[in-house]
Amino acid sequence: MPELPEVETLKGQVGCFCGQKVEEVRVWDEVLGEVRKVEAQRLEGLYRHGKVLVFSFEGVDVALKLGVTGRLKVGVADGRPRASFLFSSGEWLHFIDPRRFGRFVMGNGVPRGVDALTPGIGLLWWEKAKGSSRPVKAYLMDQDIVSGIGNIYASEILFLSRVHPLQPIGDLTERDWLQIEEVTRGVLQEAIEMRGTTVSDWRDLYGLPGSYQHRLRVYQREGKPCPRCGDTVKKFYLGGRGTWYCPSCQEVRKESWRP
DNA sequence: CCCTATGTTCCCAA
DNA sequence: CTTGGGAACATAGG
């Protein structure tokens, strides 16, 4: 799951716990034992940086990294929680995470790259891409440059930008990057409005799936027709991750001159 | 049994 | 130094 739109969805929904005190913490997976420190503390605010949701308590910030299958559920837990929090309203907030890659990081979580919804990321991408031959898909997913984009949205953003996933980033122009920024913002905002993408585990705070999966153009659509030109969507692996694209719409561009 | 899967991090090699 | 591949983390599902 959890890329930027899913985490933003949770942030909005968890907002109802702001101002409340944590009456009790139950830890079912001792790896997460440190999170007991929030007991008896008031939740003062919530913010999101990339894929990380930060709970700001009176005395400490707790950054939640959801990993692959992490999610939050209010009320009755569907699945076995790794940790549960009782708030003063009497409601439980459960952290469910079958693959157990998620973590609570105590203390001021160090922000990494710039959040993907920050205006100006196109120019940032352009500046940092100069002279590099990295494939653009890996670059969009590099959380140390711009944080929040994962495997699903990277594929969709590149399709809508008409850029091949293997495109060397140093050969893209300023204009290309500004276009990619615009597409990125559009995709992420639309996915937030649709409460994220449920292709397997993702559910929102109330246990409901998102609906952006119905809007996917290429992700996990190998062999199906491209929604723009009708050609067949292809798949390959990049960095161990499935990568989908339309071979007609997304061609690798190269500079006309080479040093 | 085999393969795949929304994330991150580390090691190794070209 | 840069980049890609693979493994590890751990589990579920087709």
Side-chain angles (χ1 to χ4, degrees), chain A residues 15-252:
Chain A
C16 61
F17 288 103
C18 283
Q20 294 190 43
K21 201 165 79 174
V22 178
E23 304 290 347
E24 185 181 341
V25 179
R26 289 191 191 171
V27 175
W28 314 96
D29 183 341
E30 210 36 58
V31 174
L32 306 178
E34 259 199 320
V35 80
R36 290 192 180 90
K37 286 180 187 165
V38 305
E39 195 159 280
Q41 293 204 34
R42 181 180 308 279
L43 180 62
E44 293 183 325
L46 283 167
Y47 58 98
R48 181 193 57 71
H49 188 93
K51 307 171 185 175
V52 179
L53 181 61
V54 180
F55 295 77
S56 189
F57 289 93
E58 313 159 61
V60 65
D61 276 0
V62 181
L64 174 57
K65 306 176 85 169
L66 290 158
V68 181
T69 57
R71 62 187 206 263
L72 294 171
K73 174 72 169 62
V74 68
V76 179
D78 47 359
R80 200 161 288 152
R82 297 181 70 195
S84 304
F85 307 84
L86 176 63
F87 280 84
S88 41
S89 63
E91 283 196 300
W92 283 93
L93 178 64
H94 303 283
F95 174 50
I96 298 156
D97 180 24
R99 273 176 78 177
R100 298 170 60 203
F101 287 178
R103 289 290 182 273
F104 290 100
V105 181
M106 313 299 291
N108 293 318
V110 188
R112 298 175 62 185
V114 173
D115 186 80
L117 288 178
T118 309
I121 56 169
L123 290 177
L124 176 70
W125 269 328
W126 181 54
E127 283 295 328
K128 297 210 173 210
K130 288 175 182 171
S132 171
S133 64
R134 285 180 79 180
V136 64
K137 179 167 178 258
Y139 188 62
L140 294 191
M141 293 170 65
D142 186 339
Q143 306 298 303
D144 289 326
I145 313 266
V146 167
S147 52
I149 300 169
N151 204 35
I152 296 177
Y153 297 112
S155 289
E156 296 298 302
I157 289 165
L158 290 173
F159 170 76
L160 291 173
S161 304
R162 297 184 173 229
V163 174
H164 193 285
L166 291 178
Q167 171 71 47
I169 55 178
D171 290 338
L172 290 170
T173 64
E174 177 178 10
R175 193 184 166 81
D176 291 328
W177 286 115
L178 293 176
Q179 168 69 16
I180 293 171
E181 171 179 359
E182 200 176 306
V183 169
T184 297
R185 186 168 300 110
V187 166
L188 296 178
Q189 282 178 348
E190 188 174 21
I192 291 167
E193 285 162 20
M194 297 177 75
R195 295 179 3 274
T197 304
T198 300
V199 292
S200 61
D201 295 273
W202 163 248
R203 296 291 186 282
D204 72 7
L205 185 64
Y206 308 105
L208 300 173
S211 47
Y212 197 80
Q213 63 275 14
H214 303 303
R215 187 137 311 183
L216 296 173
R217 285 94 172 170
V218 291
Y219 180 82
Q220 285 190 353
R221 293 181 57 81
E222 182 183 18
K224 296 188 169 135
C226 164
R228 183 193 285 128
C229 76
D231 196 1
T232 305
V233 172
K234 296 284 191 295
K235 177 194 183 182
F236 68 100
Y237 283 91
L238 177 60
R241 316 298 298 275
T243 300
W244 292 264
Y245 71 104
C246 169
S248 296
C249 296
Q250 296 165 266
E251 291 183 341
V252 177

